[in-house]
Amino acid sequence: MLCAVNQSSPGGASSQHAPAEAGLHARVLDHLGTAICSGDVAAGSVLSIDDLVDRYQVSRSVIREVLRVLASMGLIETRRRVGIMIQAAEAWSVFDPQVIRWRLASDGRMTQMRSITELRTAIEPHAAWLAAERIDDDEASELVGLAAKMWAAGKAGDEARFLQLDIDFHRRVLAASGNDMFAKLQLIVAEVLAGRHHYHLMPHYPDEQALRLHTDVAQAIQRRDGERARKAMVGIMEQGFAEMKSMWERTAEPGGA
């Protein structure tokens, strides 16, 4: 459902300063993007700029900029004499971190989690294997130290600290692979890890097996044992998704099957 977005200055577009208009743009973009990715605004629906101006109570310039961004993500297409058409999911830029965030906010959250986990399972174990061959000694030592910090944060139940370290750990492994395309996936990994925490799909105290597997990956990379690093990273992927699925099913939310 589309609705109005609160404005700090109710007098209209002429009273909006640049920072305020930028804030309105971000809020409208987030609301409309979420509505499309959740299916609240269905594929094939046709919208108009005038309708969106009325619904969100913002200026036409704000709406045009929002539509420009959504079009760049493949969520909409503007057709002459038709209007703004909502695109099917097949057209979306599914690697865009913002699209991922919006999809994680929907009832199809676990489908998105499963899709990203399958992608990560295809890429991150091989990245760990490559890292064991290409990482330098200082980076390898830092990775082992990072795994130790994750262990301490996990055992202490410091969720915010653990999330930060977890994102950094996977970022470093992807970067250490020496493959620039693998390294770009760090933004996707960061979104899904943050999503796990935000939507309570991560236990307050991480499973000890998960902590051990991160340590195994780091130590195997340091020892230049690519195969062991690969297997341990596969274990992280499998254990993480099983954990998410179990927690999702216990909440009895839609899409948990």
Side-chain angles (χ1 to χ4, degrees):
M1 178 183 294
L2 302 181
C3 61
V5 174
N6 291 333
Q7 301 185 60
S8 55
S9 300
S14 62
S15 65
Q16 296 294 325
H17 299 295
E21 185 147 311
L24 284 173
H25 165 264
R27 290 197 293 274
V28 174
L29 177 64
D30 190 58
H31 189 278
L32 187 52
T34 301
I36 293 171
C37 289
S38 68
D40 288 346
V41 180
S45 299
V46 176
L47 306 174
S48 72
I49 290 178
D50 288 340
D51 180 54
L52 292 172
V53 167
D54 290 342
R55 287 177 183 270
Y56 287 111
Q57 299 177 15
V58 296
S59 69
R60 293 176 70 86
S61 63
V62 167
I63 293 299
R64 286 196 186 98
E65 178 59 18
V66 167
L67 295 176
R68 183 192 68 78
V69 175
L70 293 175
S72 73
M73 297 175 176
L75 271 64
I76 64 166
E77 181 181 50
T78 301
R79 299 185 181 180
R80 187 176 299 178
R81 294 190 294 274
V82 174
I84 301 146
M85 180 167 288
I86 308 302
Q87 297 288 83
E90 290 77 12
W92 300 350
S93 298
V94 294
F95 288 96
D96 189 295
Q98 204 157 16
V99 173
I100 291 170
R101 192 178 313 136
W102 292 333
R103 295 180 81 180
L104 290 175
S106 75
D107 286 345
R109 187 171 305 136
M110 278 305 294
T111 298
Q112 174 72 125
M113 288 287 192
R114 181 181 294 108
S115 179
I116 295 176
T117 300
E118 289 170 354
L119 173 68
R120 293 180 65 194
T121 302
I123 299 299
E124 289 196 64
H126 194 65
W129 185 84
L130 289 173
E133 178 181 324
R134 297 173 177 174
I135 199 169
D136 67 38
D137 291 341
D138 288 342
E139 290 174 331
S141 295
E142 289 173 3
L143 191 65
V144 171
L146 190 58
K149 291 176 183 177
M150 287 181 66
W151 186 285
K155 289 295 186 181
D158 188 341
E159 294 182 73
R161 175 67 171 157
F162 183 84
L163 172 60
Q164 178 188 27
L165 293 167
D166 198 13
I167 290 173
D168 194 25
F169 182 92
H170 290 277
R171 177 189 67 79
R172 287 174 183 251
V173 172
L174 287 165
S177 73
N179 183 305
D180 56 354
M181 298 186 77
F182 284 6
K184 286 294 185 181
L185 292 177
Q186 63 182 277
L187 297 176
I188 294 175
V189 173
E191 283 296 337
V192 76
L193 291 175
R196 283 196 66 186
H197 283 259
H198 182 76
Y199 295 108
H200 309 294
L201 296 172
M202 172 73 78
H204 182 67
Y205 292 94
D207 186 88
E208 189 165 311
Q209 175 69 5
L211 297 173
R212 185 177 297 109
L213 285 167
H214 282 80
T215 299
D216 288 347
V217 169
Q219 290 180 344
I221 288 174
Q222 186 182 45
R223 294 168 183 167
R224 312 294 175 176
D225 188 341
E227 185 57 23
R228 182 182 172 194
R230 185 192 68 78
K231 288 180 178 178
M233 187 64 85
V234 170
I236 290 174
M237 300 298 108
E238 292 176 345
Q239 192 272 343
F241 188 76
E243 189 174 66
M244 282 189 290
K245 188 171 187 294
S246 176
M247 295 181 73
W248 180 268
E249 288 173 343
R250 286 201 299 272
T251 66
E253 294 185 51

